[in-house]
Amino acid sequence: QIWTLSDTQQNGSLTFSQFCRALVLISKIQHGQIRISELSQQRDVDHDDDEADLAMPPPLLEGKNGVKAEDLDELCMRLGIVNLSQAHGGSTSIAAGSSPGMDNPDAKGGGSSSSILSDAGKKAKMSSKSVMSISDGLRRLYMKVIKPIEESCLFPNFHNPLLRDSDFGAKPLVMLLGQYSTGKTTFVKTLLDGMTYPQAQIGPEPTTDRFVAVSYGVDEQAIPGNTLCVDRTQPFTGLTKFGSSFLNKFAGATCPAKALEQMTIIDTPGVLSGDKQRIERRYDFPGVVRWFAERSDLILLMFDPFKLDISDEFRRVISACSGHDDKIRVILNKANSVSAQHLMRVYGALMWSLSRVLRSPEVPRVYCGNFSSAHDGGPGDEENGPLLQKEKEALLADLYDVPRRHVGRRVNEYIKRIRTLRIHALLVSALRDAMPSMMGVEKKRQNLIDNLEDVFLDVQRKYNLPVGDFPDIEVFRESLRGIKDFKKFPRASNSTLKAIDDVLEVEVPALLTRFGNPFQ
């Protein structure tokens, strides 16, 4: 329980501050300050800079062999607590190389067994001792089981490209979208505690002319897009498919801002209106947005009271985020530049405009605030000041909560991908089985493409699958036109379907049992 409370990001390892927190909790339990049943109440307690915690006596470590007591002196000084060897008569030591859950056979996920059990009671094939975190387990399952099936079924031709190792270890992504001069780059500056990332430009005219991935770095530096996309430690290698025209308009920037230790921010060019600007973009702008939207934890759509209209290009950009409605947040920036009466009208006009683009019964969360120093002291400060401040605090709380939700979102996206793969394997198998062996191959291929609805319906009825899990039929039809020989598709054998089902029903639940459910 203490490990779960301390490893808040489900990394399978503790930072120094998280290790200190774990020791404090153990000491409080041993000295009777809290009960084990009260541990869940400590989840939201901030232990940083708490003098009472630093004054706690150290936890009892008797009976362990390995590190000598005198070797703990430096550690005790860093922790700010009394010397362990003095506190326990010089007999205290800790076991070197021990890891949580491995020494105690009764510990959660530990013991001598090399595998773990899911809630259904089936034994998972993946060894618990070789897995360091939920993300590491998902990566191993994907590379060993899922990726070969995706390659054989030509899954990347119809859906998302194959995943790489860097996709599983990437930090959470937060993407900003909006028309020019709505305050996107200024909002990034606010998140970075007033720091401006390298080559950032802020002005009333269209200034940011490229996609910029702002990440943490000890030194401030700008990284060209071509260099960033060949770095396999970064999650941007898949952007090479958009060509050099896009990579010349893509860049990375690093700066030592605290917020960037937990997330990466994607600043985007301002969306323009008119067909001329769309044609002059020499790359697929909505396609790039769709690529980032699939990998983002949060998508921020920015407006201001003077730019509520949604241009044709902005409409296509928002449509590219379809299927990710749960990630979208709407920000009405510079809300203090209008009075309370006008703000009410602006809010209504914004919701009306969004209703014509976001085809969803749920209303997106809209935050009203001011993140632009250029409009400080506006007419709405006196009337709306307390309201705008509360909205700003709520938005920042939502943003800073992204790292905590990141593992849960990754598990969710992983399961969605595998469910999509299962249906894809059944569809392409049905297409292969429908092809004749010799005569009339091309005619039958065209007939299957034209009557794809019948194939979808047959597969849905045969396997009793949810209709909502099937891909968009028109997108699938267009992808099929590029496949000349349906005989290349593999048959969905029982072993293939069982491997996919085992990942969904056994392996992933076993990972959640081992490291704790991130949704709880």
Side-chain angles (χ1 to χ4, degrees):
Q1 294 183 55
I2 291 175
W3 179 271
T4 302
L5 287 174
S6 304
D7 187 13
T8 55
Q9 298 178 25
Q10 307 289 331
N11 289 327
S13 59
L14 300 182
T15 63
F16 181 73
S17 60
Q18 291 171 339
F19 172 70
C20 294
R21 180 184 184 187
L23 289 185
V24 168
L25 290 175
I26 293 173
S27 184
K28 284 186 175 181
I29 293 174
Q30 291 179 342
H31 292 84
Q33 293 194 10
I34 58 174
R35 298 180 179 179
I36 295 180
S37 59
E38 300 172 346
L39 272 177
S40 59
Q41 302 174 9
Q42 301 293 315
R43 182 178 298 274
D44 300 322
V45 177
D46 186 6
H47 292 271
D48 294 339
D49 300 328
D50 191 337
E51 294 183 0
D53 288 348
L54 294 177
M56 281 293 301
L60 303 176
L61 303 174
E62 296 176 353
K64 295 291 185 179
N65 298 318
V67 181
K68 296 180 180 179
E70 53 267 21
D71 295 335
L72 298 178
D73 292 349
E74 182 180 353
L75 174 62
C76 297
M77 293 175 61
R78 293 180 63 191
L79 290 175
I81 57 179
V82 296
N83 184 283
L84 288 176
S85 58
Q86 294 177 356
H88 301 294
S91 61
T92 303
S93 59
I94 60 176
S98 62
S99 57
M102 296 301 177
D103 291 333
N104 184 1
D106 298 327
K108 181 180 177 181
S112 59
S113 175
S114 61
S115 59
I116 43 184
L117 298 178
S118 68
D119 294 336
K122 298 180 181 179
K123 181 177 290 188
K125 296 180 180 179
M126 186 169 56
S127 172
S128 63
K129 294 183 178 180
S130 63
V131 178
M132 298 302 297
S133 65
I134 289 181
S135 297
D136 182 48
L138 297 180
R139 180 189 63 81
R140 291 169 183 263
L141 287 173
Y142 178 81
M143 295 301 174
K144 184 177 180 180
V145 181
I146 302 300
K147 186 177 180 179
I149 300 176
E150 289 186 351
E151 291 175 335
S152 64
C153 294
L154 304 182
F155 184 81
N157 293 36
F158 295 82
H159 305 280
N160 300 324
L162 298 174
L163 297 178
R164 303 173 185 266
D165 288 342
S166 57
D167 293 320
F168 292 92
K171 293 180 181 179
L173 287 182
V174 176
M175 180 171 62
L176 280 72
L177 294 171
Q179 302 189 75
Y180 73 91
S181 194
T182 52
K184 297 187 297 298
T185 305
T186 304
F187 179 71
V188 174
K189 182 178 178 180
T190 302
L191 292 180
L192 305 185
D193 297 327
M195 297 180 61
T196 303
Y197 65 82
Q199 297 185 356
Q201 299 180 19
I202 299 175
E205 75 283 359
T207 50
T208 303
D209 63 343
R210 61 189 62 211
F211 285 80
V212 183
V214 188
S215 58
Y216 180 81
V218 178
D219 301 321
E220 295 187 9
Q221 60 176 333
I223 306 172
N226 286 279
T227 303
L228 196 61
C229 288
V230 298
D231 185 356
R232 293 191 174 274
T233 63
Q234 299 290 337
F236 306 116
T237 52
L239 289 171
T240 53
K241 70 176 184 178
F242 295 104
S244 298
S245 297
F246 165 72
L247 296 181
N248 292 333
K249 293 294 183 180
F250 177 56
T254 61
C255 59
K258 185 176 179 59
L260 296 178
E261 294 180 0
Q262 303 295 334
M263 70 179 75
T264 298
I265 302 174
I266 306 298
D267 196 5
T268 62
V271 180
L272 304 175
S273 60
D275 194 58
K276 179 179 178 181
Q277 287 82 355
R278 178 182 66 84
I279 294 175
E280 287 186 352
R281 293 192 194 272
R282 300 176 60 186
Y283 60 90
D284 183 9
F285 188 79
V288 174
V289 171
R290 185 179 301 108
W291 190 93
F292 279 112
E294 291 169 353
R295 292 156 178 79
S296 295
D297 293 73
L298 211 59
I299 303 171
L300 304 180
L301 301 180
M302 298 201 68
F303 296 85
D304 71 23
F306 311 103
K307 292 187 178 67
L308 296 178
D309 60 308
I310 298 178
S311 63
D312 293 339
E313 187 179 31
F314 200 13
R315 183 185 300 270
R316 285 189 290 270
V317 167
I318 297 177
S319 299
C321 300
S322 61
H324 307 283
D325 299 340
D326 57 318
K327 304 177 184 179
I328 294 178
R329 306 289 189 273
V330 180
I331 300 177
L332 181 58
N333 196 17
K334 309 176 187 178
N336 69 329
S337 60
V338 295
S339 63
Q341 181 183 13
H342 288 149
L343 179 61
M344 180 180 64
R345 295 177 178 175
V346 165
Y347 184 87
L350 174 60
M351 296 303 293
W352 181 83
S353 297
L354 289 172
S355 67
R356 301 174 63 86
V357 182
L358 295 175
R359 301 296 183 180
S360 174
E362 291 82 14
V363 179
R365 179 68 165 94
V366 180
Y367 295 97
C368 300
N370 173 45
F371 301 96
S372 176
S373 59
H375 289 272
D376 286 344
D381 278 339
E382 183 175 351
E383 295 177 289
N384 306 323
L387 170 65
L388 299 183
Q389 182 61 29
K390 289 182 179 179
E391 287 284 282
K392 181 177 180 179
E393 292 173 356
L395 172 59
L396 293 178
D398 195 1
L399 276 168
Y400 294 141
D401 196 45
V402 165
R404 187 181 65 83
R405 303 194 306 261
H406 177 58
V407 175
R409 187 202 64 81
R410 180 173 290 170
V411 174
N412 184 57
E413 295 293 330
Y414 190 85
I415 294 174
K416 285 169 56 179
R417 184 184 182 100
I418 298 178
R419 291 171 66 90
T420 302
L421 173 63
R422 189 178 191 278
I423 291 180
H424 175 81
L426 294 173
L427 287 174
V428 297
S429 177
L431 291 170
R432 175 196 169 99
D433 293 340
M435 292 295 293
S437 57
M438 294 181 62
M439 304 297 292
V441 173
E442 182 58 30
K443 183 178 180 180
K444 183 61 176 179
R445 171 184 172 276
Q446 190 59 45
N447 180 264
L448 288 173
I449 293 176
D450 295 338
N451 299 281
L452 193 58
E453 295 86 354
D454 296 336
V455 179
F456 275 47
L457 185 59
D458 290 343
V459 171
Q460 190 270 330
R461 289 176 174 175
K462 182 177 180 179
Y463 296 97
N464 193 26
L465 300 171
V467 178
D469 286 352
F470 280 75
D472 184 276
I473 192 167
E474 293 303 325
V475 175
F476 198 89
R477 195 196 311 272
E478 287 301 315
S479 300
L480 271 181
R481 298 187 193 278
I483 308 297
K484 299 303 181 183
D485 185 8
F486 287 0
K487 287 291 186 179
K488 292 182 179 179
F489 292 135
R491 285 190 172 92
S493 63
N494 291 333
S495 60
T496 299
L497 297 178
K498 184 178 184 303
I500 296 175
D501 291 339
D502 283 348
V503 171
L504 284 175
E505 300 172 5
V506 181
E507 301 290 353
V508 173
L511 275 176
L512 300 183
T513 301
R514 166 68 174 86
F515 293 99
N517 194 333
F519 298 99
Q520 294 178 348

